[in-house]
Each structure stands twice: as structure tokens, then as C-alpha cells.
Amino acid sequence: MKAISHTEYGSPDVLKLSVTDKPIPDNKEVLIRVYATTVNRTDCAMLSATPFIMRFFTGLLRPKNTISGTDFAGIVEAVGKDVTTLRIGERVFGFDDSGISSHAEFMTLSEDKAIAGIPDNITFEQAAASIEGAHYAFNMINKVALKSGQKVLVNGASGAIGSSAVQLLSYYGARITAVCNTKNIELVKSLGAERVIDFTKEEFIAASNEKYQFIFDTVGKSSFTKCKPLLNSGGVYISSEPGSMVQNPVLALLTPLAGNKKVVFPIPFNIKKSVLLIKKLFEEGKFQAVIDRTYPLEDIAEAYRYVMTGQKTGSVVIRIGSGNPRV
Ligand SMILES: NC(=O)c1ccc[n+]([C@@H]2O[C@H](COP(=O)([O-])OP(=O)(O)OC[C@H]3O[C@@H](n4cnc5c(N)ncnc54)[C@H](OP(=O)(O)O)[C@@H]3O)[C@@H](O)[C@H]2O)c1
């Protein structure tokens, strides 16, 4: 099978298109023919091994998992003898932030991992584009006690996490002010934002004349100190990044002890719950894929370079193989 591999950490230049053996599923695993995957910010962090602490999980000197990829959409081709919940021919999608070698024509995954059926109305590309960002967005929302009608500000609403956060917050009944660039204002409104601040024209802290119960910085470009005046009493600041001085995890421990505004740091967990939520929202027509660009597997290095600019809108999809049954 064709696969994208790297035996050292570095820039997209270290990626190689290789031909290797198809993996063989063990008793609890399924073999999946991958039709679509993405290059996301998790993949970029794994490729370059930044922050350095990642190496304790991905391999200290070189990657343990030489085939890249963290998410997928495809068809079950074979099942191990103890698999009970998935069957051959089923359309499935899933994600694992520890790496599952999905930048390849075939991959294996345990049925116990974050994998679920793709609803009929959703294509492989839409499914693959709706997992990584949605998982981290759900993980942020899951960490706070959001009530319908509360005001929330989402900074970075055009990214993978941000565009998912707007949709999920809207689903839960929040009143959303979104911060994004000029070209994505209409998109972000269509996803559920009540009000949009264009960060290329005005800085949201100065532009915002409202107070919020929650501020979700989904691109990690602000700070608790600067956002604090925009929070209601009892309000919460939550960022997808640890912060320039790694202050957010520390503030998450300290701020609940003093004052009435606090920081929550969203350590990700329970990916299966996120995948099942997205499946349910797809079925209810309450979640849509936001796809910036699609590249063939052969051009994946270009996709990485684009994602690394930090300027994508939603997700960047990789299409695998030709003559896909349904893109
Ligand atoms: N905590 C975790 O486990 C975890 C996991 C994955 C990712 N992350 C981090 O979370 C962040 C977001 O990930 P993502 O995949 O959603 O990012 P992304 O899709 O790459 O986000 C790109 C978008 O953010 C917008 N943006 C850039 N700077 C902005 C600013 N100052 N204000 C508002 N919007 C801005 C960009 O708009 P323009 O094109 O106009 O610049 C672009 O549309 C990244 O920093 C990533 O490293 C954390």
C-alpha cells in the first residue's frame, strides 16, 4: 500500500511517499481502507515534535510511529475474530491524537478506540474534516458548566477548533460573539454566531462592549489578564494553548483559589465521546464540515506547509486513492 512516512522529526521535507505492507488487524482490530484523512495541527506538532515534551509520547529521538496521520474516514475491509461492533463494508470515521498511521491507503484500529459509523448523508471528506477540531472544541465546552442563553466569545472562530466550537456552542444554546478574519464573517455567522468581530479591523478586547460568561480562545492568541475585564463575575477563560509563558495550566490551578473569574485548561480526554457526538449531530443535521482545501495523498507535504501557516479555514483534507465510492 501507499503510505506517508518519516523516520526523523522535522519540516514537511522529511515526509516520504513509500510503498509498504498492508497492516494486519489483530483479534480486536479492524482493517480500514482509508478514503479521506486530514492534515491538522496535531499532525504538524507530531511531525516537528513540538513542544519537546511530545517526544516522551511519540519517541524521544525519532518517531515510534513512522506513518503519520491521526484521523480517517473509510470502509472496514476486514475484522479480527473478536470484533463484535463493526462489520465488513461499514463506512467509519475516527481520530486518535496519539497517531494512528492514517496517512495511508490502509490502517488498523481497535473497535474500542474512537471509531463510529458515518451517517449516509455525509461523505468521507466531510467526515474526516469534522473530527480533530470538533474533539478539541467539545473538550473545551465539556470543561465548563454552560447554560443555554449564556454569552460566549470565541476567538479564532475560523479555525478547525473555532469553527467547531461555534457550531457546538450554538447547538447548546449559547449566544456567540465570534472573532475571525474578514473573509470568514459570513461563514461564521452561518455556523451560529450572533455577532462577529473582524480581528483584521479591530482588536476584540477593545471592540467588545459586552461581557461574557465564557471566553474560548481557540487559537491561543490572547491571555486571561487581557480578557479578564470582558468576563462577568464568575466568568471563565479557556484557551486551546498553554500560553506564551505556559501560564494557562498554572492559572487553572491558582485562579479558583482567589477572585471570582477563573482559567480552565482543557486537557483532552475521551475521544470516543466526541466522535459519537459528531455522528449524532451529523444525523440531526446540526453539524457541517468546514473544508478549506483538498489535496491528493501524493501532495501531502504541500498540505502540511499550508496548515503550518496557521491560516487555514476549518480543515485541510487529504483524498486517498482514485475512484472513491463516495468522496
Ligand atoms: N490543546 C490541544 O490539545 C490542541 C490540539 C490541537 C491544536 N491545538 C492548538 O489550537 C490552536 C488552534 O488549532 P486549529 O486547528 O483550530 O487552528 P487552525 O485551524 O490552524 O486556525 C487557523 C485560523 O485561526 C485564525 N487566526 C489566526 N490568528 C488569529 C487571531 N489572532 N485572532 C483570530 N483568529 C486568528 C486564522 O485566520 P487568518 O487566516 O486570518 O490568520 C485561521 O483561520 C493551534 O494553536 C493549535 O496548536 C491545541
Side-chain angles (χ1 to χ4, degrees), residues 158 179-185 196-200 311 313:
S158 51
V179 183
C180 70
N181 55 24
T182 317
K183 71 175 186 204
N184 285 312
I185 290 175
V196 180
I197 298 172
D198 181 346
F199 79 88
T200 67
Q311 297 200 302
T313 298

Side-chain angles (χ1 to χ4, degrees), residues 9 55-60 62-67:
Y9 294 120
R55 290 177 183 241
F56 292 102
F57 307 98
T58 60
L60 207 52
R62 56 190 66 83
K64 283 188 281 194
N65 234 352
T66 53
I67 300 178

Side-chain angles (χ1 to χ4, degrees), residues 41-42 132 136 155-156 158-162 179 181 184 199 218-219 221 240-241 268 307 310-314:
R41 297 288 291 261
T42 306
E132 192 248 17
Y136 293 123
N155 187 35
S158 51
I161 302 177
V179 183
N181 55 24
N184 285 312
F199 79 88
T218 63
V219 278
K221 296 283 170 97
S240 62
E241 286 282 341
V307 174
Q311 297 200 302
K312 68 180 165 67
T313 298

